[in-house]
Every structure is written in structure tokens, then in C-alpha cells.
Amino acid sequence: MDMLIQGFSVAFSPDNLFYCLVGVFLGTLVGVLPGVGTLASISLLLPMTFYLDPTTALIMLAGVYYGSEYGGSTASILLNLPGSPSNAVTCLDGYPMAQQGRAGVALFMTSIASFVGGSIGILLMMGFSPLLVKIAFSFGPAEYFALMVLGLLAATAIAQGSPLKGIAMVVVGMLIGCVGMDISSGIPRFTFGNMALFEGVNMVILAMGLFGVSEIFASANQLTARLTAKDITLRSMLPTREDWRRSAPSIFRGSGIGSIIGALPGTGATIAAYLSYTVEKQVSKNRRQLGTGAIEGISAPEAANNAAVQTAFIPTLTMGIPGSASMALILGALMMHGIYAGPSTMTDHPDMFWGLIASFWIGNVLLLLLNIPLVGIWVRLLALPYRYIFPAVIIFICVGVYSLTYSFTDVVLVLGFGLLGYGLKLAGYEPAPLLIGFILGPLIEEYLRRAMLLARGDFLTILQRPISGSMLLVCALLLGWALYVTWRRYRPGAPEPLPTPAE
Amino acid sequence: MIKDYRLFWSALGLVALGGTFALLSLGYPLGTLHRMGPGFFPLVLGFILAGLGLVILLGAGTQTLGAAKVAWRPLGFISAAILAFGLLIGPFGLLPATFVAALLSAFADASSRPLPVVVYSAVLTAGVWAVFVLVLGIPFTAIRGVL
């Protein structure tokens, strides 16, 4: 408790408060606007974080991450077009509600559900992080190696359309991560004598290209849906007693499901939202009405995705294992400040850890204010055509990349990665696993080398240790499952599944 | 028997990429399992990638992704905008580069009309100056020789 109070004193410092507001504001903004994703916006802000204290940077980036879950439902409800993938389920009942003239109530209820879901997620994070840290402290390099491989495989095999392609992308990312000077031996790898590559490929440029530029290639000239101005009055937002009564159990069910799903590796807010909607269809009293504008159908998934984005921080900060690409980016941003998240984060940087948690509380309250009294602004924003949005994003990317080292090469590189990302999408590959592999690859190599040194070169000892052994067994099962799924699809006539968008 | 050329070429690309990395890795000390050298890890990864590529390649015989729709217009205009920004910012400064890049990228949307685009680009340029130079204080040359 003392730690939390100390955390609040960190979070309430003018700088942190300001950047928390900036984070949640931008998060809501990109959440509301279809065609600008969370991953893209976090990468866009990375260059800015170099000028900030690591805690402040973390607070801002986290704000964007959970803030976008609030805003994402707005477009789902009003346009039947999800602002981000994790809000796609909200369309199912949100849009029919809007057609019935209950858009205001839907917007209000999603904000409340988001707040409750987020709060429960934060409470769980406060309770479980110290426990997990205790477990993580008993881990050696072998366990970390196994855990990271498991996290990588789970993140790709479960969440993506074609598991094998996802795993291939992870390996490509890990290979790109090998470029640069080898830490143990000091030998430069794959640099071809080019000095600029000694420090490796820059994460900021890679992320901006893969997610920012390629996203614009795909959606410029495509996104034409927009709102014809409609006003949402505060009075029209107030739910009836009946709405409250029906939403409450759904919100708690959604929060519970979201919290668990969010903390697992590889499953994020999108899966949490889908799963909680499925559960509502089974257990809700009004399950027959789901899909026709039932309020349970928006309360449950919105609570779930917000709970999930909060609990996603548990494995990231206590063990250094990100569950999704967005989390990997936040982890990478910390690495650029020289902070390697792990079990010692809580003891080595208590101000940062508890300051972040305190900022979550502040951020969620700010989001409630941003999303209920100020909802009119966001609604009007949806009337803005996409052609006025994407050039600004492109300019932001250019300026951000150029500000890194003031070099033309970096600008060309970001374009190159953008073209690569677009090409990958066209061929049915998702770029998100590539980024996770890129960030975790060097760590995995390091842990493997250390583990093998301790085991005197006997890989069997890693398999014999109970924790690392069982984790690697799960990895083998996942790989086997991925091959099985692929084999089944290879039968003539089986359709290639559409890749699901990453968070 | 190839049913889908996008799958085919992309899988072949993965095999080639994995093979290249594995081959290059042989140029670095491999070490032993006990003390791994810098070449060990990428060599293993290269083999894994090539293997995965081969399995995906098998699928190109039976699967199809459906017709590809390449967004040529955004590809052209936005690539040009980014390159223009990179080329102009050195000799002319931040504001001219921003203005030209905004102008070019706006035309990625087929419904853009010249006059609104010019006004929009000017507003965006002013915004960039306000955010990056005034608020964030990043040391940029706004207009070379003037600001």
C-alpha cells in the first residue's frame, strides 16, 4: 500500500500527469479513427520517448495502449466499422443499438464497462505481480529460454490466421535481430562492413515501416465510410434502470474472462472480447436477443478487452515476456532506455512500477471523462474523411524517423520496411510476429547461450529440468498442432483462412 | 503444379532468406554447444526458416489466396512523398520538405482536389512546426537560410 501511495506521488508529478493525458488522449483518438492502429501509433510515438524519462515514456505509451480500447468502440457502434480489431465484436450489438436510436446509451455503457474492466484488471495486476515475481526469481537462464520460446510460439500459433506463416515471420524477425555486433564475442554479424548496421536494425524504423507506412498503403484510397454528422446529447446517453440491471453481470463476466486471457502469452484483447461474447451467448439471460442490439453484447466484450490490456502488463513487466506485438514494442522502448523488464523491475525500479500502476488509475479516470462528457468531439471526428488523416500520419512518421539520426538512409529504410510489410500482407503474412521475434530474438539467444554454458553443452539437462522441460514440451505440442492444422488445410479445396489482424 | 504464385514466391523467398542467413553464418565462428559462437544461433534459425518455407511451399500446390488487389495509387504517391521528404529536408529544411510530402501523399486518395490539398498541406506544415519545433524543441532547420 505504501508503494502505491509512493506510486501516486510519482504519477501525479506534472510531467507524468501531462504525458499520461497525452497518452490516453492519443489512444482514444487512434482508437476512434479506423485505419490508424494501436501498433502504428505506439511506433509513431517512440522517437518522442527518447526525450522523456523512462517512467514518463512508459506511462505515455501505456496510455496509448489502453486508451485505444476505450475509443475503439465508438466507430463500431456508429459506423459498424471497428476502430481497432479488439472492438470488432462490439459491432454485432452496438450498431443495431445505434440503428434503434440508442447510440448514446451504447456509447455510455461501453465507457462504463471499459472502466470497470480496466479497474478489475489493474487490481489483479497489483495483486498478482508480486506473486509472479517470486516465482520468476527462481528461474534460471534455461527457464527463461523455454518461457520466451513458448511465449513466441503461443503469440503466433494461436492468434494468427495461419500458424506456420506466423512462426516463419517470428524466425525472420529473430534473424533480423541477429544483425549487428554480437554481444558475447564482439564480432559484427551480417553487417557487410556497413558501420550503420553495427548497432543493429533500429526498432523504431522497423516498427514504423511495418505498421505505420504499410497500414497507410493498405487503407489510403480504401476507407471511405464516414459519419454524416449526428449529435449525441448527454441526455440520450443515460441508460435506463433496465440497462444497468442487464449490463452488470455481463460486465463482471467480461472482466473476469478478459483478465485471465490478457495475462496469458499470445492471447490479447481481441481474443478476450470474442471469448466473452461467446460466453454471453451461452449464459446470458437474454442470449436470444444477442446480435439484435442487446446491451449485454457490448458490455461484456468491452469490459473484457479493457481488462485484458491491463493484465497484459503482468507477464511483460514481471518476467519480460510480452504477450502481443504492442507489449513487445513497449518492452523494446524500455530496452532503448537501458531497462530490461524482468522480476527485478519491481525492486530495482519501484518508482517506475508503482508509478505506472498509479498512472493506470489516473488514466482510466481521465478516459472516463474523455469518453462520456466529451464524446461529441470524437463523434464529430468520425465525420472527418480519411484523406485528411493519413497524410498527417505519413508526415509524422517522416519527421520522427528523420529526428533519430538526421539521415536520408533512415527515411529510405522506413519506406523499405513499409513496402515489405505491405508485400507480406498481400501474400497472407502478418508483420506483427516479425516484430515480436525481432525484439525477443537477441534475448532468447543470450539465455540459450548462458543455459548451455551452465549445462556444459548438454541440451538434455534443459529438457530434464521440470519447468523448462515442460514448457518446451508445450512448445513441441504447439508446433505439432501448427503442422497438423497446416496439413489439414493442404488437402485440395480447403480454403486459406483470412489472417486475423494483430492488435 | 502451382495453384497460387503469391504463396509460391513468398515461400520460395523464405527458403532463400533462410538459406542465405545459414550460409553467411558459416563465415562466423560456430563454437560448440557448450560455448556457442556468434554463428551458431543464426545458423540454426536459418535452417528452421528454410524448413518452414519448404512446408509452406507445399501448400502453394493446393491453396489459393484469391485475387490480389494491389493499391498502386497509394503505393506510388506515398512512396514518392516519403522519398521527397528525405531528399528535401537536408538542402531546404523541415517546412518545405513537409509541405511537398503532404502535397504528394494527399493525392494517394483519388478524390483529392488540388486547392483543398494545398490549403491542407499548408495547415499541416504549420502544425508540424508548432509541435516539433515549438513544443518539443527538436533541433530542426525550419527553412534553410531563413529560420
Side-chain angles (χ1 to χ4, degrees):
Chain A
M1 203 61 215
D2 284 351
M3 300 308 285
L4 187 65
I5 292 165
Q6 197 193 339
F8 268 106
S9 72
V10 173
F12 268 117
S13 80
D15 257 18
N16 290 342
L17 206 57
F18 174 72
Y19 282 102
C20 180
L21 180 66
V22 170
V24 296
F25 178 84
L26 286 175
T28 312
L29 182 73
V30 301
V32 169
L33 297 174
V36 189
T38 320
L39 265 174
S41 44
I42 294 180
S43 5
L44 249 60
L45 289 177
L46 285 174
M48 246 176 89
T49 59
F50 296 140
Y51 297 88
L52 302 174
D53 171 76
T55 306
T56 315
L58 184 62
I59 287 176
M60 179 176 74
L61 294 178
V64 176
Y65 183 56
Y66 59 79
S68 69
E69 294 303 330
Y70 272 81
S73 53
T74 311
S76 300
I77 293 167
L78 295 174
L79 288 181
N80 202 16
L81 186 73
S84 53
S86 53
N87 307 102
V89 213
T90 311
C91 294
L92 296 178
D93 281 282
Y95 189 62
M97 278 183 82
Q99 285 176 316
Q100 293 154 18
R102 288 174 30 91
V105 177
L107 289 171
F108 185 88
M109 220 44 185
T110 50
S111 297
I112 297 291
S114 299
F115 183 75
V116 176
S119 303
I120 292 176
I122 307 170
L123 282 176
L124 289 174
M125 183 183 175
M126 288 165 60
F128 277 101
S129 299
L131 291 177
L132 222 65
V133 164
K134 276 206 189 102
I135 300 172
F137 262 126
S138 67
F139 284 7
E143 279 76 20
Y144 270 108
F145 166 71
L147 193 62
M148 286 197 169
V149 174
L150 178 62
L152 269 185
L153 275 179
T156 50
I158 299 174
Q160 307 300 324
S162 162
L164 221 52
K165 285 180 168 179
I167 297 171
M169 283 299 102
V170 165
V171 181
V172 172
M174 287 168 85
L175 282 169
I176 298 179
C178 285
V179 174
M181 200 172 71
D182 173 43
I183 317 164
S184 317
S185 61
I187 295 176
R189 293 190 291 194
F190 315 113
T191 56
F192 311 106
N194 189 336
M195 281 305 283
L197 283 175
F198 263 55
E199 286 183 23
V201 174
N202 190 315
M203 179 187 93
V204 178
I205 301 177
L206 183 71
M208 278 192 176
L210 280 183
F211 304 112
V213 177
S214 78
E215 199 168 86
I216 306 256
F217 281 147
S219 39
N221 208 17
Q222 296 288 325
L223 274 182
T224 43
R226 67 188 176 100
L227 198 69
T228 38
K230 209 188 297 179
D231 270 337
I232 305 280
T233 58
L234 267 178
R235 182 177 289 274
S236 78
M237 293 180 77
L238 286 180
T240 61
R241 190 179 290 259
E242 171 76 1
D243 288 331
W244 284 110
R245 205 180 48 72
R246 284 174 56 173
S247 288
S250 309
I251 289 178
F252 286 107
R253 276 195 292 268
S255 307
I257 293 166
S259 301
I260 297 168
I261 297 293
L264 294 176
T267 50
T270 308
I271 293 179
Y274 272 96
L275 195 65
S276 72
Y277 191 82
T278 318
V279 169
E280 284 307 304
K281 276 196 130 165
Q282 305 295 325
V283 304
S284 167
K285 270 189 200 140
N286 304 300
R287 52 182 172 270
R288 298 246 165 92
Q289 294 172 28
L290 277 174
T292 60
I295 199 152
E296 290 89 345
I298 58 164
S299 313
E302 284 301 316
N305 59 29
N306 281 276
V309 294
Q310 300 294 0
T311 53
F313 281 91
I314 302 176
T316 309
L317 290 180
T318 58
M319 301 202 274
I321 316 280
S324 64
S326 317
M327 272 290 127
L329 263 184
I330 290 180
L331 199 67
L334 281 180
M335 286 180 196
M336 288 192 287
H337 278 283
I339 296 172
Y340 287 82
S344 48
T345 314
M346 269 174 94
T347 42
D348 290 355
H349 307 280
D351 279 2
M352 187 168 94
F353 187 84
W354 293 101
L356 181 69
I357 288 189
S359 86
F360 286 168
W361 288 115
I362 299 170
N364 271 283
V365 173
L366 288 174
L367 280 166
L368 208 54
L369 295 176
L370 280 175
N371 281 278
I372 293 177
L374 298 180
V375 71
I377 298 174
W378 307 114
V379 172
R380 233 159 276 151
L381 210 65
L382 278 179
L384 196 68
Y386 191 60
R387 64 166 183 273
Y388 291 129
I389 298 166
F390 72 80
V393 177
I394 286 294
I395 296 296
F396 213 90
I397 291 173
C398 289
V399 177
V401 166
Y402 192 76
S403 74
L404 295 174
T405 57
Y406 299 90
S407 86
F408 175 61
T409 323
D410 287 350
V411 180
V412 176
L413 266 178
V414 83
L415 176 60
F417 285 131
L419 293 170
L420 175 74
Y422 186 67
L424 287 176
K425 270 185 203 161
L426 279 184
Y429 296 83
E430 275 300 316
L434 195 157
L435 184 86
I436 308 183
F438 172 77
I439 292 172
L440 288 189
L443 297 174
I444 291 182
E445 179 179 13
E446 186 61 24
Y447 284 124
L448 177 65
R449 280 177 163 186
R450 266 194 250 165
M452 292 312 285
L453 205 61
L454 288 174
R456 300 187 176 278
D458 185 5
F459 195 77
L460 273 178
T461 54
I462 296 186
L463 294 177
Q464 280 159 357
R465 292 171 71 108
I467 300 175
S468 57
S470 46
M471 281 195 265
L472 287 175
L473 181 71
V474 178
C475 290
L477 290 176
L478 270 174
L479 200 63
W481 175 79
L483 284 169
Y484 172 70
V485 169
T486 314
W487 173 75
R488 272 196 5 181
R489 277 188 203 136
Y490 281 5
R491 291 171 313 174
E496 165 86 355
L498 289 172
T500 46
E503 298 168 29
Chain B
M1 241 280 289
I2 298 160
K3 270 186 93 172
D4 190 298
Y5 279 92
R6 258 185 302 156
L7 270 179
F8 174 75
W9 287 115
S10 66
L12 213 59
L14 291 179
V15 176
L17 192 71
T20 312
F21 265 100
L23 210 63
L24 288 172
S25 304
L26 290 175
Y28 306 111
L30 288 181
T32 60
L33 261 178
H34 186 188
R35 287 176 201 283
M36 291 181 190
F40 193 96
F41 192 65
L43 179 71
V44 174
L45 287 181
F47 273 119
I48 295 177
L49 184 62
L52 287 169
L54 283 177
V55 180
I56 297 171
L57 196 62
L58 293 176
T62 54
Q63 289 175 297
T64 45
L65 288 170
K69 216 177 121 216
V70 182
W72 291 113
R73 192 183 170 101
L75 272 177
F77 277 103
I78 287 167
S79 303
I82 296 175
L83 284 178
F85 183 90
L87 287 171
L88 294 176
I89 191 165
F92 296 102
L94 175 69
L95 301 188
T98 302
F99 185 75
V100 174
L103 215 59
L104 279 169
S105 64
F107 283 106
D109 188 299
S111 65
S112 289
R113 294 285 159 264
L115 190 64
V117 165
V118 170
V119 175
Y120 170 73
S121 303
V123 173
L124 199 60
T125 308
V128 162
W129 185 65
V131 171
F132 288 97
V133 180
L134 290 187
V135 179
L136 292 175
I138 300 173
F140 277 123
T141 309
I143 302 172
R144 183 152 310 275
V146 183
L147 269 168

